Amino acid sequence: MSDTQQHKIASFVRKDMLPPSNAPAGNVGFVRWVRENLFSGPFNTILTVVLLFCIWYVVSGFLGWALRSAWYAESLTECREIIAARYGEGTHGACWAVIRDRFLQLLYGFYPSELYWRINLSFVLLLVALAPILFTAIPRKMLWFSAIYPFLGYWLLWGGSIWGPVMVVAGFALGGLAFKYVGDAFGALLGTIAAAAVPIIWWLLLAGPVAGAIDGLIPIGITEVESSKFGGFSLSVIIGVSGIVCSLPLGILLALGRQSNLFIVRSICIGYIEFIRGVPLITLLFVASTLLNYFMPPGTNFDIILRVVIMVTLFASAYMAEVIRGGLAALPKGQYEGADSLGLNYWQAQRLIVMPQALKISIPNIVSTFIGLFKDTVLVSIIGLLDPLGLSNAIRADAAWNGIVWELYAFIAFMFFIFCFSMSRYSIYLENKLKTDHR
C-alpha cells in the first residue's frame, strides 16, 4: 500500500472520541416502563385504556362528591342547603359535618369526656409497651413494662381499686411458684397442672375477698367507668390489640401441642383447633354475651368486654396455631437434629432454634391473621357493643343525621385502613430485617 493510499485511509479514521450521549428517551426511565408494562401489544393497550377510563370514572366521581362538601352544619338538611347554595341545585356532595360533629364520639364512644385523658394515656403507654417487642433496638429491660402494661392499662380504662389488677398479677405469681415447687417435688407434669390450677382457684375464690380486704385498709383507686360507656375506635383497639397479643402465645402452644408425641395433649389440641375453626365467630360472640356467665360462680359479674376479648382470643388462637404449624412443617429435619446434637432439651430447642425460624417463615400469614382479627372486631356490634359500626347506626338514629350513610362508612374505612396498613408495613419491615439468607 502506497503512502498516498495510507494517508487517504487515515483521513477517514476518527482521531478524537465523541462525548458519551444519553440513551434515547423511549428506551429508559418511565417511558420505557410504560411502553413495556402498559402498551406492549394491542391487547395490553386496549386493556390499559379501558382500565384507565374505569379508574378515572370512579376517582373523578368520588373526588367530585368528596370535595363538593360541607364541613360546618348542624344537620343533614342544613348540609344539603349549604351544598345547593354553593355548587347549585341538584349537586350531590359529602356532608363531612357529621364527622366533625361526632368525631369524639366515634373515637371514645360514651366514655366520660372529663376522663378522655385516661384513654389517651393508656394508648400512649400501649405504644411504649409494644416498642421493645416490635423493635429490637429498644432496651430489653423495658419488657418488664410490657408485661405489666395489660394490668395497668385495664386499671386506667376501667378504673376502680388498684388491688383488683394486683390480685390478678398475684395469681400469675402463685402459678409460677406452684410450677417451681410442685414440679421439683413431683415432676414436670404435676407442676404444669398445679401452675394452671392454682391461679384459677385463686382468681375464682380468693382474689376478690383479699382485694376487698386490702382496699378497706389501703384504699387506692380512680373513678370507675362501666363497660357500657366504651365504644368507637377505642373499643376496637382494646379488643383487637388484646386479641392479637394473647392469641399469639396461645397459638404457639397449640401448634406445639398438635405436634406433641403425648396422645392426650395432641388430641386435646387437635380437637380444640378443629372445633373452633368450625364455629363462626358470631356464635362465639353470642356465647360470650349470653351463656358464659352461666358457667361462673353465682353472683359473679363478668365484664362483657372481657368476655368478648376471651372469645376473640380463643377464636384467633386456633387460626394462629395452624399458621405456626405451617412454619414448623417448613423447617428441615436437620434443624431438629441439630438442636438434639447440641444437647438442648425440648423447650430450649423450641426457644433457641426451632421457633425463631418458624415464626420468621410465618410472618406474612401471622400478620394477615392479625389484620383479619382487627377487622372482625366490628362484629361486636351484633351483641350490642358500640364499636364504630354500631355507633354509626346510633348516629343515624338521631333525627338531625337521619339518612346519612357514606360519610360515616368512608371515615370508618379510612381509620381501619390506617391501622391495617401500618401492620402490613411493619410486616414488610420485619421480613426485610430478618432476611438473612441473601446477605
Side-chain angles (χ1 to χ4, degrees), residues 199-249:
I200 293 175
I201 295 172
W202 168 260
W203 291 328
L204 292 180
L205 302 179
L206 300 175
V210 173
I214 297 177
D215 190 56
L217 298 174
I218 312 173
I220 301 176
I222 53 179
T223 305
E224 195 168 351
V225 179
E226 298 177 356
S227 293
S228 58
K229 302 294 183 183
F230 286 76
F233 283 101
S234 60
L235 179 62
S236 295
V237 171
I238 291 171
I239 296 175
V241 173
S242 302
I244 288 172
V245 171
C246 298
S247 65
L248 181 58

Side-chain angles (χ1 to χ4, degrees), residues 400-423:
W401 302 111
N402 189 14
I404 199 162
V405 178
W406 297 110
E407 292 84 349
L408 292 170
Y409 287 156
F411 177 72
I412 293 170
F414 175 71
M415 294 297 289
F416 270 95
F417 173 78
I418 291 175
F419 283 101
C420 295
F421 185 69
S422 301
M423 285 191 276

Side-chain angles (χ1 to χ4, degrees), residues 82-112:
I82 293 174
I83 292 172
R86 190 175 298 169
Y87 303 104
E89 289 293 337
T91 303
H92 296 285
C95 181
W96 299 118
V98 65
I99 305 300
R100 181 175 173 275
D101 186 52
R102 300 301 180 96
F103 181 73
L104 293 178
Q105 194 177 37
L106 286 169
L107 290 185
Y108 302 106
F110 296 99
Y111 207 84

Side-chain angles (χ1 to χ4, degrees), residues 84 136 139 143 188 191 206 287 337 344 346 362 400:
T136 55
L143 287 172
L206 300 175
V287 170
E337 295 174 345
L344 302 178
Y346 177 79
S362 307

